[in-house]
Amino acid sequence: MNNNIFPCFWFNQNGAEAAEFYTSVFRKTEITVNTPMVINIEIEGQKLMFLNGGPMFKPNVTLSLMVMCDSAEEVESYYHRLAEKGKVMMELDSYLWSEKYAWVEDQYGISWQLYFAAEKAKQKISPVIMFTGNNAGKCKEALNYYTTIFPDSEIEGVMEYEEGQGDVAGNVAHAQFIINDYVMMAMDSSHDHKAQFTEGTSMTIMTKDQDETDYYWDEFTKEGEESMCGWLKDKYGFSWQIVPHRLIELTNTHEVEKAQKAFGAMMKMKKIIIKDIEEAYYNS
């Protein structure tokens, strides 16, 4: 598992509250970063990031989290806590793909697919990208797109809808793929979920240097769209954050004035330029 790739969810100043809730729900969970803007939690060693960005965006069903549970009892435990004050999208039940499964949207708007698998999963939690609305039917194309961009990538399996199975025949019911040693999943849905890709849900890529930052930025923006502060949208409108480790080092130092200068420089950027961040930091 690669913890340099992880999901990010946008909150309206209640990210810390949500983090405390999830530590009470999931086993082996801890808050690893807790600042006014950014909160990181780890669930069984896997990182999730919460961003207190204000009311502009919020999470939605286009990015859910598949939790691979070790027992039916674990599924039930998470289901009852997450469904409380939330919304049940698929009832807790036995299905063709799992003897115990449920899909819920919790009180903070994050969707969780809770899945009991007889075999041990490679990864406890995997983000699931749903291609819906104008993107419905583009899942297979997107799988090839993402696995072309990332190193050490492969499509592990694709299950298609057949006639009469509730969606367009040939669309993807479920797919699993790996990007740089990180397991992700994807699906199509032609149903009207009244949701589309927004900054409310994104994936973060932590890069080792400027060359790697440039690589991902250039690949995604060839047919995508640049945004600010390391954010971009790919060709499908899905948001990614390309964040150099060096940026985190310089903006989280105890030397507050220098950190503020580095952060101020970052706020003026689209793609993060490490040398310009360093110049702002060391010349403050």
Side-chain angles (χ1 to χ4, degrees):
M1 181 187 66
N2 183 353
N3 245 344
N4 286 319
I5 303 176
F6 49 88
C8 175
F9 297 93
W10 191 290
F11 284 85
N12 185 14
Q13 307 308 324
N14 59 345
E17 174 189 311
E20 292 288 349
F21 172 67
Y22 297 130
T23 59
S24 75
V25 172
F26 293 99
R27 63 190 190 186
K28 299 179 184 176
T29 301
E30 62 176 332
I31 299 170
T32 55
V33 174
N34 192 353
T35 71
M37 181 173 287
V38 175
I39 301 97
N40 288 346
I41 70 170
E42 290 187 6
I43 300 176
E44 298 199 25
Q46 277 190 251
K47 187 185 297 184
L48 304 178
M49 183 166 76
F50 303 154
L51 179 66
N52 279 325
M56 295 82 73
F57 305 106
K58 59 184 180 180
N60 66 39
V61 72
T62 58
L63 185 70
S64 59
L65 297 175
M66 181 78 77
V67 184
M68 308 302 286
C69 298
D70 298 328
S71 66
E73 291 74 22
E74 186 181 0
V75 173
E76 292 176 6
S77 171
Y78 296 157
Y79 170 80
H80 291 300
R81 291 297 310 281
L82 294 169
E84 185 180 355
K85 299 182 183 179
K87 178 172 68 175
V88 175
M89 301 176 65
M90 291 185 69
E91 293 284 353
L92 178 66
D93 208 339
S94 175
Y95 293 89
L96 290 174
W97 57 87
S98 174
E99 66 178 71
K100 191 66 70 173
Y101 170 88
W103 190 342
V104 299
E105 180 183 289
D106 69 29
Q107 60 186 298
Y108 300 102
I110 296 181
S111 293
W112 303 84
Q113 298 189 56
L114 309 170
Y115 183 103
F116 168 49
E119 296 182 2
K120 184 71 174 179
K122 293 181 181 179
Q123 196 168 284
K124 183 67 176 181
I125 299 175
S126 293
V128 186
I129 303 177
M130 177 190 286
F131 292 85
T132 189
N134 292 336
N135 284 312
K138 296 180 180 178
C139 183
K140 280 182 279 190
E141 174 192 309
L143 295 174
N144 290 316
Y145 172 66
Y146 294 135
T147 53
T148 298
I149 290 174
F150 287 89
D152 302 317
S153 300
E154 63 176 310
I155 301 170
E156 289 199 312
V158 177
M159 182 172 65
E160 298 181 356
Y161 285 104
E162 297 179 3
E163 290 289 348
Q165 288 189 329
D167 209 292
V168 177
N171 276 2
V172 175
H174 178 79
Q176 182 165 305
F177 63 109
I178 297 176
I179 54 171
N180 202 4
D181 198 34
Y182 184 83
V183 178
M184 292 193 64
M185 299 176 183
M187 61 184 291
D188 284 310
S189 179
S190 298
H191 300 286
D192 183 11
H193 295 279
K194 295 180 171 55
Q196 59 186 349
F197 295 142
T198 74
E199 288 85 344
T201 53
S202 60
M203 291 296 298
T204 302
I205 305 170
M206 300 298 299
T207 56
K208 62 185 178 183
D209 53 27
Q210 191 66 52
D211 286 345
E212 191 172 41
T213 301
D214 292 346
Y215 169 76
Y216 285 116
W217 189 270
D218 293 344
E219 287 294 315
F220 279 123
T221 58
K222 280 179 185 175
E223 300 177 80
E225 179 183 345
E226 293 184 335
S227 187
M228 296 298 295
C229 306
W231 288 68
L232 59 82
K233 290 185 178 182
D234 66 26
K235 62 191 290 187
Y236 305 103
F238 187 78
S239 292
W240 299 81
Q241 299 179 58
I242 315 300
V243 183
H245 279 285
R246 185 62 172 149
L247 173 67
I248 305 303
E249 292 172 3
L250 295 176
T251 55
N252 283 276
T253 176
H254 293 298
E255 298 188 67
V256 176
E257 183 179 347
K258 289 185 174 183
Q260 289 175 340
K261 292 285 188 180
F263 187 81
M266 182 272 293
M267 291 294 290
K268 299 174 184 177
M269 297 178 180
K270 292 184 176 181
K271 178 176 70 176
I272 304 302
I273 307 299
I274 296 171
K275 65 178 180 60
D276 291 348
I277 301 287
E278 290 178 331
E279 183 178 343
Y281 179 90
Y282 289 114
N283 292 339
S284 60

